[in-house]
């Protein structure tokens, strides 16, 4: 017989892995590609989800005169079963809790990249089953049943039309919402707290500066020229984290550009810190408090 090939693209897998890859790749980019623990972790996570994307972006089932085989993505993972070992094949709908990927289910193994539809293979020489995700379970089951000489079983319910549209909407939603959440979180107003001992800047790249270590506090109308981010985030008017200036000095910024003035804090054994708020009065209040405690 002419070999048959059935490919299903992992819509949910693509949406999830692509979103996570873009999220961590974006954070790595914002950190300035420097060799520090945060950047290395972001690189590792980005490469991990890129690898998962290349593996789980599709699942292909191959049927020839002697075997039923399947492979994931680029073909790094897959299995092959002799037709002579297969007792039956039927279309099934997986439970939602089975999810996607490669893992055990109560009576066997599941191999799936998206959706709930699959074929279920039963064997002569073992009790466990194999479920392989596909968008065409009835057709594939019919072909396999005919090849092994068993009655055709089309007992699985068909998915209602419109499922592909729902999946496409899911892809778009996930691909946009995760980066959007990151942008929203990193663009929030800088949060600070003060007590009798120290100034604490909270959130990403946060720090605590004891008043006893502060050697100078001033306000400036413009920021020094930045050469690059060494481990920081810069998007729109927000600059948070570690930066290197054009004169090679290192500084730390918690800045909303365009909302002067900016507070410049010099301290012992620390890089200079620049901070401000969108609300000018809050900036002035923090400056007055720091000057009063210094």
């Amino acid at each position: 017989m002419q070999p048959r090939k059935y490919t299903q693209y992992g819509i949910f897998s693509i949406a999830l892995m692509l979103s996570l890859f873009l999220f961590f790749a974006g954070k790595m980019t914002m950190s300035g590609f420097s060799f520090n623990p945060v950047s290395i972790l972001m690189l590792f996570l980005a490469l991990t989800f890129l690898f998962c994307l290349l593996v789980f972006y599709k699942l292909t089932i191959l049927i020839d005169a002697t075997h039923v085989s399947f492979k994931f993505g680029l073909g790094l993972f897959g299995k092959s079963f002799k037709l002579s070992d297969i007792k039956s094949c039927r279309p099934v709908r997986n439970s939602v809790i089975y999810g996607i990927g490669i893992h055990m289910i109560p009576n066997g193994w599941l191999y799936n990249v998206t959706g709930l539809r699959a074929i279920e293979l039963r064997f002569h020489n073992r009790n466990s089953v194999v479920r392989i995700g596909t968008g065409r379970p009835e057709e594939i089951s019919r072909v396999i049943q005919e090849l092994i000489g068993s009655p055709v079983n089309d007992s699985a319910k068909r998915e209602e039309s419109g499922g592909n549209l729902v999946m496409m909407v899911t892809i778009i939603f996930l691909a946009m919402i995760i980066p959007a959440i990151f942008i929203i979180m990193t663009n929030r107003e800088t949060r600070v707290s003060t007590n009798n001992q120290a100034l604490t800047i909270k959130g990403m790249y946060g720090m605590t500066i004891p008043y006893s270590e502060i050697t100078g506090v001033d306000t400036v109308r413009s920021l020094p020229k930045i050469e690059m981010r060494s481990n920081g985030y810069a998007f729109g008017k927000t600059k948070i984290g570690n930066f290197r200036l054009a004169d090679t000095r290192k500084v730390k910024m918690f800045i909303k550009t365009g909302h002067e003035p900016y507070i410049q804090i010099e301290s012992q054994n620390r890089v200079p810190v620049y901070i401000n708020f969108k609300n000018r009065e809050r900036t002035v209040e923090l400056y007055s408090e720091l000057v009063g405690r210094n």
Side-chain angles (χ1 to χ4, degrees):
M1 63 167 285
Q2 186 73 21
R4 301 195 184 200
K5 181 168 71 171
Y6 302 88
T7 298
Q8 181 184 38
Y9 288 92
I11 296 176
F12 180 78
S13 300
I14 294 171
L16 179 62
M17 302 304 173
L18 180 60
S19 297
L20 290 169
F21 166 70
L22 292 174
F23 174 77
F24 289 110
K27 292 200 69 173
M28 181 185 65
T29 302
M30 293 165 190
S31 70
F33 299 99
S34 57
F35 288 97
N36 57 71
V38 174
S39 294
I40 292 172
L41 176 61
M42 294 303 105
L43 175 61
F44 172 77
L45 291 172
L47 291 177
T48 297
F49 287 111
L50 177 60
F51 174 77
C52 291
L53 176 63
L54 295 176
V55 170
F56 292 107
Y57 80 95
K58 70 177 181 178
L59 191 158
T60 301
I61 298 175
L62 302 167
I63 304 173
D64 59 28
T66 58
H67 289 79
V68 175
S69 308
F70 69 88
K71 61 181 181 179
F72 284 94
L74 300 178
L76 297 178
F77 300 99
K79 280 184 174 292
S80 181
F81 308 99
K82 292 181 179 180
L83 285 171
S84 58
D85 292 336
I86 298 174
K87 180 180 179 181
S88 67
C89 177
R90 68 187 182 103
V92 294
R93 286 182 66 85
N94 294 315
S95 168
V96 174
I97 62 174
Y98 286 1
I100 61 173
I102 304 172
H103 56 82
M104 293 184 68
I105 56 177
N107 58 341
W109 282 86
L110 173 71
Y111 304 89
N112 189 30
V113 294
T114 194
L116 304 178
R117 304 171 74 192
I119 58 170
E120 181 182 89
L121 300 178
R122 292 183 177 271
F123 302 89
H124 294 292
N125 56 356
R126 60 180 176 180
N127 293 325
S128 62
V129 303
V130 169
R131 289 193 173 190
I132 309 170
T134 176
R136 300 160 71 180
E138 292 85 4
E139 179 182 344
I140 295 174
S141 295
R142 187 178 297 111
V143 170
I144 294 174
Q145 289 289 94
E146 289 174 354
L147 288 172
I148 64 177
S150 295
V152 175
N153 183 355
D154 285 340
S155 59
K157 292 171 62 177
R158 295 178 179 272
E159 275 191 319
E160 296 181 4
S161 61
N164 289 337
L165 177 60
V166 173
M167 287 294 186
M168 289 303 298
V169 171
T170 302
I171 283 182
I172 296 171
F173 176 77
L174 288 175
M176 295 178 63
I177 195 64
I178 294 179
I181 290 173
F182 174 71
I183 291 173
I184 291 171
M185 291 181 64
T186 51
N187 277 279
R188 291 186 305 176
E189 186 76 279
T190 300
R191 294 174 296 136
V192 302
S193 64
T194 57
N195 55 34
N196 292 329
Q197 286 77 40
L199 163 71
T200 298
I201 302 173
K202 301 178 180 179
M204 187 178 296
Y205 304 102
M207 63 189 300
T208 296
I209 309 174
Y211 298 131
S212 59
E213 295 183 7
I214 295 177
T215 58
V217 180
D218 200 356
T219 57
V220 295
R221 302 295 300 179
S222 61
L223 295 171
K225 186 177 180 180
I226 298 172
E227 182 179 83
M228 65 174 291
R229 298 187 302 272
S230 55
N231 181 17
Y233 167 81
F235 185 85
K237 293 186 176 183
T238 302
K239 289 180 173 59
I240 299 176
N242 300 290
F243 296 81
R244 191 171 70 191
L245 303 181
D247 61 7
T248 73
R249 287 186 302 145
K250 296 179 180 179
V251 299
K252 202 160 192 174
M253 292 188 173
F254 303 89
I255 291 296
K256 298 290 183 181
T257 58
H259 298 275
E260 299 84 358
Y262 309 105
I263 302 173
Q264 178 182 334
I265 305 172
E266 301 279 351
S267 58
Q268 300 171 3
N269 304 317
R270 298 174 189 271
V271 299
V273 173
Y274 291 83
I275 184 171
N276 77 329
F277 305 98
K278 288 183 179 179
N279 187 323
R280 184 178 185 279
E281 292 182 359
R282 287 194 62 194
T283 303
V284 172
E285 288 175 3
L286 178 61
Y287 171 71
S288 299
E289 182 173 355
L290 293 176
V291 169
R293 293 181 180 275
N294 190 22

